[in-house]
Amino acid sequence: MKKVLESTRDLGFFEQERCKLDSSLPKEAVVLVAMYSVFVFMLLGYLAKKMRLLGDRQGNILLGFLLNFALPSAIFTGAYHSSVSLELLGLFALALACNLVAGALAFVFVSKVLRFGFATALTIAFLVSLHNTLFLGVPIVQGTLGEQAAHKAIVLDQFCTGLPLAILTPLLLSLSSRVKFRLRAVWVRLFANPLFLSMLLAFVLKAMPFSIPELLLAPILSLAACATPVALFAIGVQLRFDFLRSQWVRVLIVLGFGMIATPMLYLGVLYAFGIAVQEEHQIVLLEVAMPPLISAVAVIARAGLDSKLAISCIVVGVPIAAFSAPLWLYISHL
């Protein structure tokens, strides 16, 4: 039984593949192998949509399973088995600050320098501030740095993406004049979110003077193992390429601020304080270099803003991450 539980704990697809690689292989090369697996799952989802193997009903069932069962299980497992120190929480806070600063700079640049409209500037700032730290960032971190690093990346996602999304969504809807901003809406959004609740439950149980027997966690670990391939498959199903021609300038602005300026700002702070880059710093670096959050599309559409721009940024940003992630790892060693 012990061997079964140990194998269940290690079911993560990218962790299995990473363990098969030569230990002497540079991390920059390992991330390319991880990205290959990412693209395969996304391609399967895209082809399934194009070949009409999935309809809206099946797609909704898939997303429901992902958001209500697989991803909460992955977050619970990551938070419960992670070792989060005060120093790491400080890095999370730095990452969040870099994201928000980059979003603010993007808003000022496009509204004051390029003279874009308020709605477009708001859309760009929202996309720059929120990164795809869970669906794409965690698989890349896991494939590059291992399962323990992925557990920490999952916690980072909730601090730097899940929590800001819950706060910024009501604010965005308010600024777009759709609804009046209410603090109660933030709390309702947080405590109705299975992802946030699963992390909260994990930390509560982690603080208890006893540990949960691994036998009881076996079903949760199995569900968590489904999260990565199902999430990437769901991304593929949602991909659209028909908006790129009219959006490419704005897409470059979003990805420039989100995938270049934000990690540069993060590394700049580390170098300014003479902090040597270790594995935990690389976890955060990879996450802040991810393309925009997929869930941002739904929020932007609900606010009546430029959802076509959001979709275009995701379509272009995901393949760019295949090349930028190993590049940022290389730069972090300089």
Side-chain angles (χ1 to χ4, degrees), residues 59-311:
N60 290 334
I61 293 174
L62 180 67
L63 288 175
F65 170 77
L66 176 66
L67 294 174
N68 295 313
F69 297 98
L71 284 178
S73 297
I75 291 174
F76 177 88
T77 302
Y80 186 75
H81 291 102
S82 66
S83 177
V84 181
S85 62
L86 289 177
E87 180 181 357
L88 187 59
L89 289 177
L91 290 178
F92 292 172
L94 174 59
L96 177 59
C98 292
N99 290 342
L100 296 178
V101 168
L105 291 175
F107 181 86
V108 172
F109 177 73
V110 299
S111 61
K112 302 298 183 182
V113 178
L114 300 183
R115 302 292 182 179
F116 285 179
F118 178 76
T120 300
L122 197 59
T123 301
I124 290 175
F126 191 74
L127 292 170
V128 170
S129 301
L130 297 172
H131 297 252
N132 193 343
T133 52
L134 186 60
F135 286 179
L136 189 62
V138 170
I140 290 178
V141 169
Q142 185 171 358
T144 309
L145 303 175
E147 187 178 7
Q148 290 302 315
H151 290 163
K152 296 175 182 178
I154 287 174
V155 179
L156 179 146
D157 164 74
Q158 291 302 294
F159 276 94
C160 297
T161 303
L163 185 61
L165 179 64
I167 296 173
L168 292 177
T169 295
L171 181 60
L172 183 72
L173 295 174
S174 174
L175 291 174
S176 63
S177 301
R178 289 299 175 116
V179 295
K180 183 179 180 181
F181 177 77
R182 298 181 184 277
L183 188 61
R184 181 176 178 273
V186 175
W187 291 105
V188 170
R189 186 176 181 85
L190 269 179
F191 287 95
N193 188 338
L195 306 182
F196 177 77
L197 291 177
S198 61
M199 184 190 70
L200 192 63
L201 177 62
F203 281 128
V204 169
L205 293 177
K206 192 178 179 70
M208 295 295 177
F210 57 86
S211 59
I212 302 176
E214 293 296 325
L215 179 62
L216 297 180
L217 292 178
I220 296 177
L221 294 169
S222 297
L223 280 173
C226 301
T228 294
V230 173
L232 296 174
F233 186 88
I235 293 176
V237 172
Q238 298 178 54
L239 287 182
R240 296 185 62 180
F241 298 92
D242 50 336
F243 302 141
L244 287 177
R245 182 174 299 180
S246 61
Q247 298 282 350
W248 66 271
V249 173
R250 298 175 184 184
V251 168
L252 290 179
I253 293 173
V254 171
L255 299 184
F257 276 95
M259 301 181 69
I260 298 177
T262 306
M264 284 182 62
L265 184 61
Y266 170 74
L267 282 179
V269 173
L270 295 183
Y271 291 150
F273 285 92
I275 301 174
V277 178
Q278 306 295 330
E279 182 179 280
E280 290 186 343
H281 303 96
Q282 290 178 330
I283 294 171
V284 179
L285 175 63
L286 287 174
E287 292 285 45
V288 299
M290 288 297 105
L293 179 67
I294 292 178
S295 304
V297 176
V299 175
I300 288 171
R302 183 183 173 191
L305 301 177
D306 196 344
S307 59
K308 294 181 179 179
L309 173 59
I311 295 172

Side-chain angles (χ1 to χ4, degrees), residues 2-19:
K2 182 179 179 182
K3 291 183 178 179
V4 172
L5 291 174
E6 289 177 349
S7 64
T8 303
R9 188 185 300 117
D10 294 333
L11 275 175
F13 176 82
F14 295 103
E15 178 67 11
Q16 290 181 4
E17 295 302 310
R18 193 185 72 90
C19 291

